[in-house]
Amino acid sequence: MCIRDSYLSQVATQQVVLYGSLIILLLVAGLLLVVYKSLRSKNRLNKELFKQKQQLEEQRDKLEEQRDQLIQLSHQLEEATHAKLVFFTNISHDFRTPLTLVADPVEHLLADHTLSGDQHRMLMLIQRNVNILLRLVNQILDFRKIQNKKMKMQVQQLNVVAFVRKIMDNFESVAEEHNIDFLFQTEKEALNLWVDADKFEKIVFNLLSNAFKYTPNGKMITVFIREDEGTVSVGVQDQGIGIAENKRKSLFVRFENLVDKNIFNQASSGIGLSLVKELVEMHKATISVDSRLGDCLLYTSPSPRD
């Protein structure tokens, strides 16, 4: 009886060991399966990461290539712009002397009171166009001076109301010829600012030239001077075709012509408003534009009055 019990006890022990071993083997097999799957997943993830890395490197190489191309294009654009300015400057120097030689005799002829009406009108037409060419020549030369930092400020206290009225006189005949209502709005007859008279005259003249260039017959152009908390704003508002919103940022970029010249048969050098911006900033002031279809507002806000 004791032998039988001992045998059964050994069998039971062996069964326990066997079952335990099977459980351990199953656990080890499960663990190995988990490890295997983890390794496969890790390998797959590594391959995906490697592939993504390659894609990122390719994108980086493309971006660097595009950056290099943009830098190269930027350099080429700067060189082309510089070449334009050099060319225009050289041509301007060549043009200014003969234009001056034409302008002086015309001015003397206009002083002759024996001229007939037709002769006087023709001479006035010649004088007007010579002055336009001279102004364009001087704009280019001024632009080069600003670029080379050779333009100096000669500031004086100026009654901007009277000064602007005087500039507007130059456009009265053009306004009458094209049936344009040419208005001046100001709340005060005297507002003194410290400005460079020559440069301020060029600012206002260019703003008016731009307004008259693109304003159809029978419309209106308004010049205004406003004072708000010690800051004076001088502006020109016209009823022209306006400027598209996506082109306003380029309005003051040199050599940019934002309007199709065929609309009004008006060519543009793309220098006037760019020069205006430079001259305004020399006064420590700002210039901005607000435009919509059929309307355009350009104004400059000089520094506060002293």
Side-chain angles (χ1 to χ4, degrees):
M1 189 68 179
C2 291
I3 294 173
R4 183 184 176 189
D5 292 339
S6 176
Y7 175 77
L8 291 173
S9 177
Q10 288 178 358
V11 171
T13 301
Q14 290 174 354
Q15 286 179 341
V16 171
V17 172
L18 178 62
Y19 292 148
S21 299
L22 288 173
I23 292 172
I24 292 172
L25 286 173
L26 289 173
L27 290 173
V28 170
L31 180 61
L32 289 173
L33 181 62
V34 170
V35 171
Y36 173 73
K37 287 185 176 180
S38 297
L39 289 173
R40 283 193 61 184
S41 177
K42 181 180 179 182
N43 289 333
R44 186 168 58 251
L45 182 60
N46 286 337
K47 288 180 181 179
E48 290 178 358
L49 289 174
F50 180 74
K51 186 178 179 180
Q52 291 177 359
K53 180 182 177 183
Q54 285 183 320
Q55 291 175 346
L56 288 173
E57 288 177 350
E58 290 176 359
Q59 290 177 356
R60 182 198 62 191
D61 293 339
K62 288 181 180 179
L63 288 173
E64 288 179 352
E65 183 179 355
Q66 291 175 354
R67 181 201 62 190
D68 294 339
Q69 290 175 350
L70 288 173
I71 292 173
Q72 185 178 2
L73 287 173
S74 176
H75 290 326
Q76 290 175 352
L77 181 61
E78 288 179 3
E79 291 173 359
T81 301
H82 178 72
K84 277 185 182 180
L85 285 173
V86 170
F87 172 77
F88 285 146
T89 302
N90 293 336
I91 293 295
S92 298
H93 279 295
D94 293 338
F95 280 175
R96 186 160 62 172
T97 299
L99 284 172
T100 304
L101 293 176
V102 172
D104 289 342
V106 169
E107 187 173 349
H108 283 94
L109 287 172
L110 284 171
D112 186 355
H113 298 291
T114 63
L115 294 174
S116 67
D118 288 339
Q119 289 174 329
H120 191 271
R121 279 193 296 273
M122 285 189 289
L123 285 172
M124 287 290 292
L125 180 63
I126 293 171
Q127 186 185 52
R128 182 190 303 172
N129 285 281
V130 167
N131 288 336
I132 290 173
L133 289 173
L134 278 172
R135 284 188 176 275
L136 179 58
V137 166
N138 290 330
Q139 281 181 4
I140 296 170
L141 297 177
D142 286 343
F143 208 94
R144 286 294 287 169
K145 285 181 182 178
I146 292 173
Q147 271 206 326
N148 297 329
K149 301 186 184 302
K150 292 183 179 179
M151 182 169 282
K152 306 298 181 183
M153 293 283 287
Q154 296 180 351
V155 179
Q156 60 180 309
Q157 196 172 45
L158 195 70
N159 178 2
V160 293
V161 176
F163 195 76
V164 169
R165 285 186 188 277
K166 187 176 179 181
I167 298 172
M168 290 177 64
D169 290 342
N170 294 285
F171 294 88
E172 289 292 347
S173 60
V174 181
E176 291 178 6
E177 181 180 346
H178 294 280
N179 193 29
I180 291 176
D181 290 333
F182 194 25
L183 308 178
F184 184 40
Q185 296 178 352
T186 178
E187 295 179 354
K188 298 182 179 180
E189 289 301 316
L191 281 173
N192 293 322
L193 285 179
W194 287 94
V195 298
D196 184 308
D198 177 64
K199 295 174 181 58
F200 186 70
E201 188 268 344
K202 289 175 180 175
I203 291 169
V204 178
F205 195 96
N206 272 290
L207 293 180
L208 284 172
S209 295
N210 187 78
F212 274 94
K213 186 180 294 184
Y214 299 114
T215 299
N217 294 355
K219 296 293 184 177
M220 183 170 60
I221 295 176
T222 304
V223 180
F224 64 82
I225 298 179
R226 299 169 185 163
E227 185 180 25
D228 182 23
E229 297 182 355
T231 297
V232 178
S233 297
V234 180
V236 176
Q237 185 170 11
D238 64 63
Q239 293 180 331
I241 60 175
I243 302 169
E245 185 176 356
N246 62 339
K247 292 185 177 181
R248 290 177 202 166
K249 292 182 180 179
S250 302
L251 183 63
F252 302 105
V253 177
R254 60 192 174 201
F255 301 125
E256 285 285 342
N257 187 7
L258 305 182
V259 180
D260 184 357
K261 68 179 182 181
N262 295 322
I263 294 176
F264 290 106
N265 195 27
Q266 293 281 356
S268 174
S269 65
I271 291 177
L273 291 180
S274 178
L275 177 63
V276 166
K277 183 175 184 294
E278 297 283 355
L279 295 177
V280 167
E281 290 177 350
M282 288 183 71
H283 284 84
K284 308 299 181 185
T286 59
I287 184 167
S288 59
V289 58
D290 181 19
S291 179
R292 56 187 178 274
L293 187 64
D295 187 27
C296 182
L297 171 65
L298 276 164
Y299 67 92
T300 171
S301 299
S303 302
R305 297 169 59 197
D306 290 338

